[in-house]
Amino acid sequence: MGITNDIANSYSNRQINRQAMIKVVWIFLCILFIMLLSSCNIKDEGLSSNSLEDNAVIVHDNIIIFPEPNGLVEVKIDTMGANLPTTKEEGNLPVMLNFTSGGASLNTYGEIKVQGSSTALWPKKNWTLKFYSDEERSERLMLKIGDSVASEKWIAKAEWVDPTMLRNALSYRLWGEMVQSRVGFPQNEVDNAWLGQNNINDGMQTGAQGYPKSHPAQIKVNGEHYGISILLLGHEPRNFNINTDNPKHIYMEFDARGGNISESTDSTTSDAEEIKTWEKFSADGIGKWISGYHPKEKNFTDEQIRAIDELGEFINGTQSDFNKNFDKFLDKTNMIDMLLFLEMIYDYDAVAQDIEIVSYDLEKWYMLPWDKDTTFGMDWDQNGIIEESASSLLINYESEDPTQKPWYKTYHAFTSEVEARYAQLREGDIFTAHRLYEIAGDITSKIPNEMWQAERERWEEDNRPSLDETSTSQIISWFEKRLETLDEHFNYTP
């Protein structure tokens, strides 16, 4: 009986120990699960101050750092039951934003706002995206995507008149390749801000490039496809290496639309209002045709105003004075490349509109590209491809057009150098249909056919323009014909 009792007691003890072990394991698993939930900080909406670090992003203060995307960027917008705004006047709509790039995601509080001027009238909207760390939407977050500067100014461009979604991105990437092909340094115009600065704070490369970074993206609203967009870095002074504490630094835009200055008329009729001319580039044009991104035009100093006026007098002066004083006011590499760039993509807007202008000493100025959705022959008025745009010169090289003054003068001051640079770009496989094909493929290959179909279905009832007039094939064919035209003009033999 003793042996039997011992066996029974031993068995009972093993059972108790097993049950105790199961309880311990169960408690451990529960604790582990609770810790996991706590670390993820799951909430009904938004995220807490420490959940940014759990989504494969790098966080520094209010800067969220994403890897360079190898595929699409995804932006999910939850309007929390509200209707999307349809006009800029409706202002900011509080939303929840989920942003994914390069496999890293951010889920946070946000706001969206209709962006653009004439583009704001399109059925498919451009969206300004604002990211916040708090529910009150008072603490802005800046996003750094790959090698871009950190910025709170990101825009999802709808590209309504360009259903290929290519023209903006193609233009900026083509300009980028032109910049990178330059011999010597600095290559980027904006690097002139830090060259010659020997202290660690001011003499470092920053990632600024002076034109927008661009990424193909899908926008979803309340779980549904809203549209394919091109995510662009907006008017960010950081991207132009503007030191906001330096009164010699200035970043502004020239847009000669509107107003009534004209050599041929002083009337205020609608015809006069449509004339774009570089006469508008003067101190009197500040606030009308010259907009300040830093500082704002209302905060321009007297020194900055005088410098702008002197630049205007130089541009609007004689050809001989332009030749004589060119190096004081402008940079030859920059101006020759901008001339060839505008001509290559047939950028009729940018001869006197959407021109970003920066200076770091209020003496020498650099002109840089912006807003390229109506390039490669596209009509801004939703009328498809401009007839004969591929075979027509953009600039009148025979006589000085008031709309084209700096480009005409640059060509005639440096004709041989313009032609040499054109030849270099042709032989360097930058101004070629082959290279354009590669750039376009890098953009469109990230978008699956099913998403293109969703895009067509989403906007089918809104009569999107140019669907039957433009495609990747059309752009490349247009470019091939454009090259023939410019080869002849710039005396290049392939």
Side-chain angles (χ1 to χ4, degrees), residues 147-149 172 175-176 179-180 182 187-192 194 206-213 233-242 251-252 334 338 341 354-358 360 366-372:
D147 61 2
S148 77
V149 297
Y172 294 133
W175 173 256
V179 169
Q180 294 304 311
R182 294 168 179 168
Q187 291 179 316
N188 284 303
E189 283 81 354
V190 298
D191 286 341
N192 285 283
W194 55 265
T206 63
Q209 59 182 31
Y211 56 96
K213 290 277 290 183
L233 183 58
H235 290 107
E236 171 58 72
R238 286 168 169 248
N239 196 35
F240 293 83
N241 276 332
I242 295 299
Y251 165 33
M252 60 190 186
N334 168 245
M338 275 293 284
F341 177 63
D354 297 324
I355 303 172
E356 310 302 283
I357 304 176
V358 295
Y360 305 107
Y366 304 91
M367 300 191 186
L368 292 160
W370 200 262
D371 201 2
K372 303 303 175 191

Side-chain angles (χ1 to χ4, degrees), residues 16 24 46 121 124 132 146 178 190 205 209 211 247 266 283 297 316 336 349 363 375 387 417 432 434 447 468 474 480:
I16 291 171
V24 170
L121 302 176
K124 182 185 176 188
Y132 297 88
M178 293 175 67
V190 298
Q205 287 177 285
Q209 59 182 31
Y211 56 96
D266 58 2
E297 59 269 18
N316 288 292
I336 289 176
D349 268 352
E363 294 181 6
T375 52
E387 188 175 356
E417 288 155 286
T432 66
H434 166 260
I447 305 169
D468 297 324
Q474 179 272 321
E480 287 179 316

Side-chain angles (χ1 to χ4, degrees), residues 199-230:
N199 67 81
I200 192 67
N201 292 324
D202 299 328
M204 296 284 287
Q205 287 177 285
T206 63
Q209 59 182 31
Y211 56 96
K213 290 277 290 183
S214 62
H215 305 284
Q218 182 188 30
I219 310 299
K220 289 184 176 179
V221 176
N222 300 327
E224 300 291 332
H225 175 86
Y226 178 81
I228 302 170
S229 295
I230 298 296

Side-chain angles (χ1 to χ4, degrees), residues 364-432:
K364 189 176 287 289
W365 302 80
Y366 304 91
M367 300 191 186
L368 292 160
W370 200 262
D371 201 2
K372 303 303 175 191
D373 54 344
T374 54
T375 52
F376 298 93
M378 180 61 71
D379 191 339
W380 70 273
D381 201 21
Q382 306 186 52
N383 291 322
I385 305 303
I386 299 172
E387 188 175 356
E388 303 301 326
S389 55
S391 57
S392 302
L393 292 173
L394 176 69
I395 305 299
N396 180 352
Y397 296 99
E398 300 300 321
S399 62
E400 185 174 344
D401 188 308
T403 306
Q404 306 171 351
K405 288 187 175 188
W407 318 118
Y408 172 90
K409 287 187 169 83
T410 295
Y411 175 77
H412 285 282
F414 308 108
T415 303
S416 61
E417 288 155 286
V418 171
E419 292 178 350
R421 177 59 170 157
Y422 180 82
Q424 182 185 42
L425 293 168
R426 290 288 276 125
E427 292 165 4
D429 195 26
I430 295 172
F431 279 3
T432 66

